[in-house]
């Protein structure tokens, strides 16, 4: 495939890529009404067809879930139904201004309230807010609620947040961003939270612990069977428990984190509820919480008042506002559409078949890539390529890069950090058995190549538009934009 | 269910390979008291696609959207022209359904568009570089302020009251949680002149500001220098196609809301935050940045997400930002927009907004409406009405207009003041009709 030149190199003075609205009001003397104007603007000038060819060609060298299987662990790359795109583009949703009076947007309120209500039922929490705009933003918002809660009780001394060593990197980062110091909690040999270590930590720091951030099922793909006990341990010392909801896909319709004892959780609607990832955003966060955290919710709160859905701004204990407006509204329209497509009858299919698919992949690959733990996995399986590293100098990353040659997107590598040469595979419920078999066949073939011809993997990928890229060079000689000549 | 393809045979075959007798068996580690039976949740029934579309269409029709009302409401989100190519490009599945480009060899298309996005944002703002996008304008500004406190080692930020109130609310929330003081300075006569910036990490000013007034960035730069603080400018990218760029005044960080560039208003989300800065701060920026590199074993160039050493997934609790997913698809929409309009089109959009605004101002003055702030404005302005602005706004809805934003909610003593925006898509006829409707409401 040919390299696509930068759009700046295709620019010719005088071309334009769209039919700009004509102005029919009188001309004005610009400098007298706006002051000094600029003449140094370097933006490309191309025709409309050139523009479309440019992006179409770029799309050909990009991989999406509609291109092929995307088993990126912890990312829940499921199918994004087309009907969601159609509903989100309805004029009555797309053309709403966030500061128009609430009385003029009853339909939008119905969507927001509807998504909240369905998510409350699915998670078991008494309240949901949709203002956070991404997963990490939701985590941070939960920690802010926890902080406000402790402060309201005169316990501002609670400055420690406990995070398991298997956690997503955003967990400690979110805690740090809320001014907390982070302590790591180890994972035991079976892959569960190390209860003895947790107990020791709480005995030491209990009165100063603000919260424990726990991912359930964990990033090891395992359900935490002691979850009720863990929540109880935290509550006994006055701490709160946050659930990282990145793995909610394993629980939808089967078990509810609100029933497990968690105080709050975030959801990634772009993972579990199929709003498209868009190449790294928009994400779509939401958070669920128990009633004791409700007074601190960010404003506005969409709730029922005397039978009407309102945007409540009268929240004296609120932490304030965490995003510009109502959150990712058009993503909520997509999530609403998706939730209504599954409904009461089919909701549990999400967790049931995603867990079936993950266990199937795990079983088919276990002889070439051993699972990190000998237990049923939830919606993703964690395998280790350690033996190929030790015996043949082939790393998990090499296996992943070789998979690109086979036409698949690679799984997640080196996460969670505690499993050596880790490959984290999340098939989701939307893939067929045939696709999973083709993928497993490819992985088995690659593991054979790793033994017979390791360099084939070191040099991979070899069939794509570019070969393995030098990421160190990108850091050393930083080039992050084009400059005009 | 079309999204879950398993037949009964598939399920049985797969369970046989796994060695489990049922799907339920796979959930055996979940304590029994924590399980709910499939189909037992209190949810509305499933809808087929036809009924689903009808249901959503009905809900959407209940809203008075901006195809039903002629909008003169701005305040940070604008009803602007969106070229057809934007929708065509961002609907392509290869872009729409991709994940974050962690595997660059399979994601060159997206990575190149982000490199182009970074270039054009930096160019509009007159800055050295821009990142790969933020959540929205408000969070982008809050992140910039927190970055400044890290760079300067100071725990106070100064913000003008003429910065968007919602942005300041987000700033207050973020700063409260991390222990930073926020000081708000006044904007008498619609522009900021008194910077009380001693000991602050940064001063934050909006350009044009929330009232549509064009702030004196040279004076803001001077005030920042005297305080040894960074200058953070919240800038409208459309205005920056016409006005002198914030970078040319020496801004250290320029942030903004990218929605006016090809993104539907969508009740304010998803939109895209813009973030640009001087090169010296590149290792402090929140979020992500894409850089150019070449092959390890060849000479072809390619693009990768870079500076991962400071990204949250590596530094964990030492991270200075927790942003992971950002707004790549919206950044792509803005990229298509900036290319479709190009240098001439963007200048034209900005100029048309100014012409329409000036026409609206003179027509309003013609019916005796008082423009509150006398200085230079871009695309938006405040009028002082003889009546309560909220009541006037509500009465204007009856006449088919979204008249603007009543400012009494946000500023003391401004109950009769209305913020009016006039974009490039408002016609002379619409402006004339708006002015006569307002005349009737005020009569």
């Amino acid at each position: 495939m040919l390299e696509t030149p930068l759009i700046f190199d295709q620019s010719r003075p005088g071309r334009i890529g769209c039919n700009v609205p004509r102005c029919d009001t009188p001309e004005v003397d610009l400098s007298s009404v706006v002051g000094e104007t600029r003449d140094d603007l370097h933006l490309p000038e191309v025709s409309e067809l050139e523009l479309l060819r440019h992006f179409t060609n770029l799309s050909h060298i990009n991989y999406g879930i509609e291109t092929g299987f995307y088993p990126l662990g912890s990312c829940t790359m499921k199918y994004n139904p087309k009907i969601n795109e159609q509903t989100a583009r309805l004029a009555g949703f797309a053309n709403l201004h966030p500061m128009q009076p609430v009385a003029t947007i009853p339909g939008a309120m119905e969507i927001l309230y509807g998504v909240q209500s369905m998510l409350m039922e699915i998670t078991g929490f008494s309240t949901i807010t949709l203002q956070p705009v991404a997963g990490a933003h939701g985590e941070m918002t939960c920690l802010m609620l926890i902080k406000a809660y402790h402060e309201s009780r005169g316990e501002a001394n609670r400055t420690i947040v406990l995070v398991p060593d298997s956690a997503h990197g955003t967990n400690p980062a979110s805690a740090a961003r809320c001014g907390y110091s982070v302590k790591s909690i180890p994972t035991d040999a079976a892959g569960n939270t190390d209860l003895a270590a947790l107990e020791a930590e709480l005995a030491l720091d209990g009165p100063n612990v603000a919260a424990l951030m726990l991912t359930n099922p964990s990033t090891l793909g395992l359900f935490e069977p002691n979850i009720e006990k863990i929540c109880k341990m935290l509550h006994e010392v006055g701490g709160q428990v946050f659930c990282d909801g990145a793995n909610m896909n394993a629980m939808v319709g089967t078990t509810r984190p609100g029933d497990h004892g968690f105080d709050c959780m975030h959801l990634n609607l772009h993972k579990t509820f199929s709003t498209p990832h868009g190449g790294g955003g928009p994400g779509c966060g939401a958070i669920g919480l128990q009633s004791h955290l409700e007074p601190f919710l960010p404003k506005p709160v969409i709730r029922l008042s005397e039978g009407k859905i309102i945007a409540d701004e009268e929240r004296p204990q609120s932490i304030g506002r965490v995003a510009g407006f109502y959150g990712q509204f058009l993503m909520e329209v997509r999530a609403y559409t998706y939730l209504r497509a599954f409904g009461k009858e089919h909701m549990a299919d999400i967790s049931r078949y995603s867990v079936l698919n993950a266990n199937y992949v795990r079983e088919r690959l276990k002889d070439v890539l051993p699972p990190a733990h000998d237990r049923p996995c939830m919606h993703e399986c964690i395998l280790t390529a350690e033996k190929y590293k030790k015996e043949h100098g082939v790393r998990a990353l090499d296996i992943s890069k070789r998979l690109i040659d086979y036409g698949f997107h690679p799984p997640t590598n080196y996460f969670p950090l505690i499993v050596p040469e880790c490959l984290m595979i999340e098939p989701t419920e939307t893939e067929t058995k045939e696709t999973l078999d083709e993928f497993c066949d490819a992985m088995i073939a690659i593991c054979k190549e790793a033994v017979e011809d390791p360099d084939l993997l070191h040099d991979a990928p070899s069939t794509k538009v570019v070969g393995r890229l030098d990421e160190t060079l990108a850091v050393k000689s930083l080039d992050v934009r084009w400059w005009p000549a | 269910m079309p999204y879950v393809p398993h037949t009964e045979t598939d399920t049985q075959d797969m369970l046989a390979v796994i060695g489990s007798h049922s799907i339920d068996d796979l959930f055996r580690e979940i304590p029994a008291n924590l399980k709910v039976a499939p189909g037992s949740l209190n949810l509305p029934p499933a809808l087929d696609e036809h009924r689903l579309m009808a249901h959503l269409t009905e809900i959407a029709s209940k809203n008075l959207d901006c195809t039903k009302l002629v909008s003169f409401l701005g305040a940070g989100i604008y009803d602007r022209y969106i070229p057809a190519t934007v929708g065509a490009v961002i609907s392509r599945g290869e872009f729409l359904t991709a994940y974050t480009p962690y595997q660059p060899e399979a994601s060159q298309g997206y990575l190149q568009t982000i490199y182009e996005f970074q270039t054009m944002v930096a160019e509009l703002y007159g800055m050295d570089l821009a990142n790969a996008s933020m959540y929205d304008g408000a969070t982008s500004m809050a992140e910039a302020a927190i970055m400044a406190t890290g760079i300067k080692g100071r725990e106070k930020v100064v913000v003008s009251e003429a910065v968007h109130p919602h942005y300041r609310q987000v700033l207050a929330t973020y700063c409260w949680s991390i222990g930073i003081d926020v000081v708000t300075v006044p904007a008498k006569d619609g522009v900021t002149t008194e910077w009380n910036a001693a000991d602050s990490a940064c001063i934050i000013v909006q350009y044009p500001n929330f009232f549509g007034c064009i702030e004196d960035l040279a004076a803001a730069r001077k005030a920042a220098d005297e305080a040894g603080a960074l200058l953070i400018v919240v800038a409208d990218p459309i205005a920056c196609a016409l006005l002198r760029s914030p970078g040319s005044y020496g801004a250290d960080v320029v942030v903004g809301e990218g929605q006016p560039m090809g993104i539907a208003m969508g009740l304010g989300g998803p939109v895209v935050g813009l973030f640009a800065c001087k090169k010296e701060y590149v290792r402090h920026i929140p979020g992500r940045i894409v850089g150019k590199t070449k092959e390890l074993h060849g000479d072809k160039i390619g693009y990768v997400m870079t500076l991962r050493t400071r990204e949250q997934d590596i530094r964990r609790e030492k991270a200075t930002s927790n942003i992971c997913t950002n707004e790549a698809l919206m950044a792509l929409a803005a990229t298509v927009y900036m290319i479709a309009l190009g240098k001439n089109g963007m200048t034209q959009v900005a100029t048309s907004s100014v012409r329409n605004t000036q026409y609206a101002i003179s027509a309003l003055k013609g019916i005796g409406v008082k423009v509150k702030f006398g200085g230079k404005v871009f695309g938006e302005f405040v009028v002082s009405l003889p009546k309560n602005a909220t009541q006037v706004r509500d009465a204007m809805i009856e006449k088919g207009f979204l008249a603007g934003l009543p400012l009494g909610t946000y500023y003391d003593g401004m109950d009769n003041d209305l913020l009016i925006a006039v974009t490039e898509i408002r016609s002379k006829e619409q402006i004339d009709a708006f002015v006569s409707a307002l005349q009737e409401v005020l009569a």
Side-chain angles (χ1 to χ4, degrees), chain A residues 195-255:
Chain A
L195 289 183
L198 180 63
E199 195 163 13
E201 173 53 37
L202 294 179
L204 185 70
D205 285 321
N208 297 319
V209 169
L212 166 69
M213 302 178 83
L214 201 70
T215 307
N216 195 30
S218 70
T219 59
L220 293 163
L222 305 170
F223 191 84
E224 178 69 62
N226 303 314
I227 186 60
E228 287 172 293
K229 185 169 184 201
I230 292 169
C231 291
K232 201 160 162 258
M233 286 165 73
L234 262 292
H235 292 152
E236 274 168 5
V237 298
Q240 298 280 290
V241 194
F242 159 81
C243 178
D244 180 317
N247 295 341
M248 186 66 205
N249 211 50
M251 301 195 279
V252 178
T254 297
T255 182

Side-chain angles (χ1 to χ4, degrees), chain A residues 25 255 278 280 401 467 470, chain B residues 34 62 105 110 293 295 326 355:
Chain A
T25 53
T255 182
K401 296 295 186 191
D470 188 343
Chain B
L34 298 183
K62 295 177 187 173
E105 297 85 2
Y110 231 121
T293 186
E295 291 172 318
N326 46 357
R355 280 170 60 178

Side-chain angles (χ1 to χ4, degrees), chain A residues 4-5 7-8 17-19 23-26 33-34 36-38 40-42 44-45 54 58-59 61-63 65-66 70 72 75 77 80 89 91-92 94-101 104-108 110 121 133 136-137 140 144 147 151 167 169-170 174 176-178 228 253-255 276-283 319 321 324 328-330 336 340-345 352 357 363 375 401 429-430 465-470 474-475 479-482, chain B residues 3 5-6 14 17 24 29 33-36 39 41-47 55 59 62-67 73-74 77 81 91-94 96-100 103 105-110 112 115-116 118-119 123-124 127-128 135-136 139 143 146 166 169-170 173-174 176-177 214 240 242-244 265-267 269-270 291-296 300-301 303-304 306 312 316-317 320 322 325-329 340 342-344 355-356 376-377 397 410 428:
Chain A
T4 306
I7 196 74
F8 310 103
C18 65
N19 221 339
C23 187
D24 61 358
T25 53
V33 295
V34 299
E36 218 175 324
T37 57
R38 70 188 287 179
D40 60 340
L41 186 64
H42 300 280
E45 297 172 70
H54 178 69
L58 288 177
S59 76
I61 53 170
N62 210 65
Y63 199 100
I65 189 70
E66 290 177 12
Y70 217 126
L72 208 53
C75 300
M77 292 299 288
N80 308 129
R89 282 170 177 73
N95 297 312
L96 297 179
H97 193 290
M99 295 174 101
Q100 72 184 84
T104 61
I105 53 169
E110 192 176 332
E121 181 65 15
V133 293
H137 199 228
M140 191 169 81
M144 287 176 178
K147 190 175 188 116
E151 282 185 5
T170 48
S174 295
R177 276 302 303 271
C178 288
E228 287 172 293
T254 297
T255 182
H277 290 66
I319 57 167
R321 185 179 279 281
Q328 309 279 36
F329 174 69
L330 294 180
Y336 181 92
R340 293 302 310 266
F342 277 86
K344 181 184 177 75
E345 303 91 315
R352 292 169 67 78
N357 279 359
E363 191 64 30
R375 289 166 56 182
K401 296 295 186 191
E429 71 281 7
T430 60
V465 62
V466 286
R468 183 116 34 129
L469 289 166
D470 188 343
V475 178
D479 175 350
V480 297
R481 67 167 288 189
W482 170 92
Chain B
Y3 318 148
H6 300 71
M14 292 166 83
V17 170
D24 287 335
E29 293 195 348
N33 64 314
L34 298 183
K35 279 197 241 187
V36 294
L41 293 180
N42 182 19
L43 292 166
L47 293 176
H55 175 60
I59 297 177
K62 295 177 187 173
N63 295 320
L64 284 177
D65 69 79
C66 293
T67 61
L73 174 58
I77 297 289
Y81 153 72
S91 304
R92 289 192 67 90
E94 305 90 332
L96 181 71
T97 72
Y99 199 75
T100 301
Q103 297 289 340
E105 297 85 2
S107 316
Q108 282 303 295
Y110 231 121
Q112 183 172 329
Y115 184 86
E116 293 176 350
Q118 290 171 179
T119 301
E123 186 59 36
L124 270 173
M127 301 300 285
D128 295 332
Y135 301 142
D136 65 8
T139 58
E143 293 278 353
I146 289 171
H166 286 190
Q169 289 169 20
V170 173
T173 307
Y174 273 49
W176 157 75
S177 78
I214 299 170
C240 288
L242 182 67
L243 309 183
R244 251 188 80 179
M265 293 188 287
L267 204 68
K292 190 188 265 191
T293 186
K294 64 183 193 57
E295 291 172 318
L296 264 177
K300 280 199 262 180
I301 59 152
Y303 303 88
V304 295
T306 190
Q312 46 79 17
R316 294 173 76 89
E317 64 271 17
T320 51
N322 73 333
T325 298
N326 46 357
E327 297 287 335
L329 189 72
K343 172 187 169 177
N344 297 319
R355 280 170 60 178
N356 290 349
K376 295 182 166 64
V377 297
I397 287 168
Y410 302 103
K428 180 171 174 296

